[in-house]
Amino acid sequence: MKNSKNYLLAKHFSHIYIEREIISHPITKIILDKFPNSVLVEIDNYKEVFSRPRQNYKLQEISKKLILAKKKGEFLYPGPPLCHDFGYNHFYYTSLILNCIFSCDYCFLKGMYSSANIVIFVNIEDYFEEIDSVLKRHPLYLSVSYDTDIMAFEKIVPFCTMFIEYATSRKDLTIEIRTKTANYEVLQSLKPPENVILAWTLSPQEIIEEFEHKTPSLSARLDAIKKAIENEWNVRLCFDPILFTNNWKEIYLKFINNVFEEIQPSKITDISVGVFRIPKDFLKRMKKVFKNEITLFPYEEENGVFTYPYELKKEMMDFFISNLSKFVPKSKFFVI
């Protein structure tokens, strides 16, 4: 699918489960107004639906249901070692939405949750309160799009806009919004704050078609990036994960050249690079549901993480970085 704009509202969310405690929350109303024909089901706790046993993940992916809930407990989590910290001492992530509208074969979410349904925690004000509390102790680098693609949901719930407006007045806060969406227009009316980074994950079109189901094309993502740069946003390019597949060298070489035919390297804030890697337990769960080129590869394990064998990983990284450095200085690279 080349354009996710209409897809988000058309195929999914025939049923919406709502915790009784947040039925009257303003964000709940914003969301429900987008789905006047959905069947509404009141529940006591989102885990009744999201965490129940013996769910059919593949069937749920065809028609995802929406669950509206109140987040309780922790609001911020330390950034995992498998992710780039971009040189920040205090790297955290937060999850306002669980699961993603897209369906990438390599996504760790497929092994993290037993459900393909979407959970939205509507109480964003509690997240802001917790962030303010942390900022009193130290600066914070915060990924707000770790367990989902928050920008892809912006037409359903305006969390992206709300986080950007919130960050504008918090000088010790830096937020990253990572996305594969092409729907830049949801942000184009906003003034770009210096402490907000829009981070696009980019892959070759061949990889998108084979493994990144329901995501926008490479050309659509590049068009969105060009618009963001023109409007003076900080833009990060994420070449992560790099995947091993047939003819990978030819595919990725053409891809790198294609990207920088469209994007002026000097306008990019920085770049992240990494090959596919995933916690052992997540891959084990994915294999039970999905039998494909990603899950069946003979990875090597190190400290509970599966990734490509050392020599292959080194060859892939050396090849990619060597060709990437023809366009962008290595001082802008973050490699994992």
Side-chain angles (χ1 to χ4, degrees):
M1 191 200 64
K2 306 304 181 188
N3 189 335
S4 64
K5 181 164 56 177
N6 296 322
Y7 176 86
L8 291 175
L9 299 177
K11 190 174 181 181
H12 300 302
F13 310 151
S14 63
H15 291 68
I16 301 178
Y17 297 85
I18 315 167
E19 287 186 350
R20 292 182 177 87
E21 187 176 355
I22 50 87
I23 285 177
S24 60
H25 194 283
I27 297 295
T28 302
K29 185 178 187 310
I30 289 173
I31 297 169
L32 294 183
D33 284 348
K34 306 291 176 60
F35 302 99
N37 298 320
S38 295
V39 176
L40 307 184
V41 182
E42 294 185 14
I43 57 175
D44 290 319
N45 190 297
Y46 78 95
K47 294 181 181 179
E48 298 170 17
V49 180
F50 189 68
S51 303
R52 70 180 189 274
R54 296 182 295 279
Q55 298 188 70
N56 189 321
Y57 197 105
K58 283 187 175 180
L59 187 60
Q60 289 177 349
E61 277 206 314
I62 297 172
S63 179
K64 299 183 181 186
K65 305 303 184 283
L66 187 59
I67 307 166
L68 306 184
K70 180 177 181 178
K71 175 67 173 175
K72 298 175 182 177
E74 290 184 272
F75 293 92
L76 303 181
Y77 305 93
L82 291 183
C83 296
H84 298 84
D85 61 15
F86 299 97
Y88 289 87
N89 292 326
H90 302 288
F91 164 39
Y92 285 76
Y93 73 95
T94 192
S95 299
L96 277 154
I97 302 175
L98 306 183
N99 271 333
C100 187
I101 200 67
F102 301 136
S103 183
C104 300
D105 286 345
Y106 55 76
C107 183
F108 71 93
L109 296 175
K110 291 178 182 290
M112 187 173 184
Y113 302 124
S114 60
S115 174
N117 292 324
I118 307 291
V119 177
I120 298 179
F121 297 115
V122 301
N123 54 318
I124 191 171
E125 68 280 359
D126 293 327
Y127 288 79
F128 290 160
E129 183 178 341
E130 177 65 16
I131 295 168
D132 282 340
S133 176
V134 172
L135 289 173
K136 292 177 181 177
R137 302 194 295 272
H138 55 70
L140 183 63
Y141 172 76
L142 183 66
S143 173
V144 301
S145 197
Y146 180 71
D147 287 344
T148 191
D149 188 324
I150 199 170
M151 194 166 158
F153 282 93
E154 189 69 1
K155 288 182 177 291
I156 295 174
V157 57
F159 284 157
C160 234
T161 297
M162 296 174 76
F163 251 113
I164 291 168
E165 292 176 342
Y166 166 80
T168 300
S169 59
R170 271 76 178 177
K171 65 181 179 63
D172 288 332
L173 173 66
T174 300
I175 68 169
E176 182 207 62
I177 301 170
R178 189 165 298 203
T179 188
K180 292 175 183 171
T181 187
N183 294 337
Y184 169 71
E185 68 270 16
V186 298
L187 302 182
Q188 63 186 1
S189 64
L190 299 176
K191 181 179 179 181
E194 293 183 0
N195 58 338
V196 173
I197 301 168
L198 302 183
W200 266 274
T201 297
L202 297 179
S203 300
Q205 185 59 33
E206 294 90 339
I207 297 293
I208 292 171
E209 293 174 1
E210 183 70 21
F211 302 111
E212 297 184 1
H213 312 295
K214 305 180 180 72
T215 65
S217 66
L218 174 61
S219 61
R221 296 184 213 181
L222 292 175
D223 286 343
I225 290 169
K226 287 189 286 187
K227 292 174 184 175
I229 290 173
E230 289 171 4
N231 290 339
E232 300 184 339
W233 288 88
N234 295 316
V235 172
R236 169 176 293 147
L237 302 185
C238 303
F239 301 113
D240 187 8
I242 301 169
L243 299 177
F244 176 77
T245 190
N246 291 334
N247 302 318
W248 67 271
K249 285 187 177 180
E250 293 85 351
I251 288 172
Y252 278 101
L253 178 60
K254 182 179 70 172
F255 164 62
I256 292 171
N257 291 331
N258 186 2
V259 168
F260 292 105
E261 286 172 0
E262 299 291 330
I263 305 297
Q264 189 174 341
S266 62
K267 300 294 185 180
I268 299 301
T269 300
D270 55 35
I271 289 175
S272 70
V273 183
V275 300
F276 175 74
R277 58 209 180 275
I278 191 168
K280 176 182 178 180
D281 291 343
F282 289 7
L283 184 62
K284 183 178 179 180
R285 294 185 200 119
M286 288 168 67
K287 281 184 177 180
K288 292 180 180 179
V289 181
F290 303 98
K291 306 292 184 184
N292 55 41
E293 185 176 339
I294 300 296
T295 62
L296 298 178
F297 189 89
Y299 300 104
E300 286 187 351
E301 179 190 352
E302 183 176 351
N303 298 323
V305 175
F306 276 125
T307 189
Y308 297 119
Y310 175 80
E311 291 299 331
L312 176 58
K313 176 181 176 180
K314 184 177 186 304
E315 181 184 7
M316 293 173 68
M317 291 296 285
D318 288 349
F319 177 84
F320 196 92
I321 291 172
S322 173
N323 285 283
L324 188 61
S325 62
K326 296 174 184 177
F327 299 95
V328 183
K330 289 185 179 180
S331 59
K332 286 192 174 185
F333 295 4
F334 289 89
V335 179
I336 195 167

